[in-house]
Amino acid sequence: MANSLDGVLVVAKEPGPTSHDIVALVRRLTGVKRVGHGGTLDPFAAGVLPVFVGHATRLVEYHMTDAKEYRALVCFGARSTTDDLQGELTPADSSAPTRELVEGALAAFRGEIEQVPPDYSAVRVAGRKAYELARHGEKPELRARRVTVSLLELVSWDDSDTARPTAQMVIGCSAGTYVRAIARDLGETLGCGAYLGALTRTASGPFKIDQAHPLDEVRAALTTGRAHELLLPMDAGLDFPEVHLNAAEVAHLARGQQLRRVLDEGLVRVLDESGKLVAIARAGDGILQPEKVFGP
């Protein structure tokens, strides 16, 4: 079974397990050694986690820059050591903001912005992960990075607790954006403190929440040999142009040799006569150069 499983499994992660836990589960239940994911979700977060199985793991790198979309609950009136609900909370001295104040502050967080990652993040500082330093009481020296927030809207407001109002927001952003940092910085801008209370990833690049499978469904399919029913093709979500080759040309490419083929410059998906993905190649200057070749 293991040799036949190559594709993308879109999991609807629940709060609790780590992204690595999900990968380990898929690896254990399928017997496939090569399994990876397309972008970490914090343990408390839920939502879309693309899991790449078998030969598909060689395509993960093409998804690492995929944009993300989220539903986030931002809690005002306190600061968190981790910028989310899992940290130690310190109530703010100032009064809580109104919905109008929060909506007015959002404009500064749209478009290209400079963002300092959370102290409790996996960003490396002098060879160590920032969260390792933070856990030992050290303040990581983290540099601001440029990220893009394409969508940031407040969709609902709850001030039933007047000292701790919350806002549900939808967020679209570039890879590498920390939603926790958006919540933190929004609270600092308003002077009241804020942290991330809940997070659901609704899209990871081309993979959407409505096509994601709950973990119970994934576990049931994998334990009964029905993994193929949930797997998307290896090249799912890749928008590279495709080129079809005959058997002789495929064999040529499989040996790492170039083919003469006039195509627009860039990466292409190479398919055999049956429509099966056999390689990722780079076109340019009238040449087709294989980058990744997939065996049987």
Side-chain angles (χ1 to χ4, degrees), residues 1 10 23 65 77 100 135 138 147 151 181 206 237 239-240 257:
M1 179 179 70
V10 185
V23 167
T65 58
E100 290 71 27
R135 286 173 180 170
E138 301 178 49
V147 300
L151 172 67
D239 59 359
F240 306 153
Q257 299 171 334

Side-chain angles (χ1 to χ4, degrees), residues 77-248:
R79 295 176 174 85
S80 167
T81 53
T82 58
D83 302 327
D84 60 36
L85 78 166
Q86 295 187 314
E88 181 180 343
L89 300 181
T90 303
D93 295 330
S94 58
S95 59
T98 63
R99 175 172 183 156
E100 290 71 27
L101 284 174
V102 172
E103 288 184 319
L106 294 181
F109 294 90
R110 298 187 184 111
E112 286 196 1
I113 63 172
E114 293 285 329
Q115 182 186 78
V116 177
D119 289 349
Y120 285 81
S121 65
V123 175
R124 290 194 174 273
V125 180
R128 297 179 64 188
K129 293 180 179 179
Y131 67 75
E132 295 174 342
L133 299 173
R135 286 173 180 170
H136 287 86
E138 301 178 49
K139 174 68 176 175
E141 293 295 328
L142 294 166
R143 296 181 179 180
R145 53 176 64 181
R146 185 166 290 276
V147 300
T148 301
V149 178
S150 57
L151 172 67
L152 179 59
E153 297 292 342
L154 193 159
V155 294
S156 68
W157 178 258
D158 183 355
D159 56 3
S160 53
D161 181 347
T162 56
R164 297 280 188 91
T166 61
Q168 286 279 359
M169 299 187 183
V170 292
I171 299 167
C173 55
S174 58
T177 303
Y178 283 93
V179 180
R180 283 184 287 153
I182 293 177
R184 175 200 67 200
D185 295 345
L186 181 59
E188 293 308 304
T189 295
L190 294 166
C192 63
Y195 61 93
L196 189 62
L199 185 68
T200 298
R201 185 156 67 192
T202 55
S204 179
F207 306 112
K208 311 298 183 184
I209 192 70
D210 59 2
Q211 68 184 136
H213 302 281
L215 204 51
D216 285 347
E217 182 184 353
V218 170
R219 188 179 287 107
L222 268 52
T223 54
T224 56
R226 296 180 295 108
H228 61 281
E229 295 179 6
L230 305 186
L231 281 176
L232 298 175
M234 285 200 304
D235 55 345
L238 292 182
D239 59 359
F240 306 153
E242 61 182 47
V243 56
H244 291 259
L245 301 183
N246 61 38

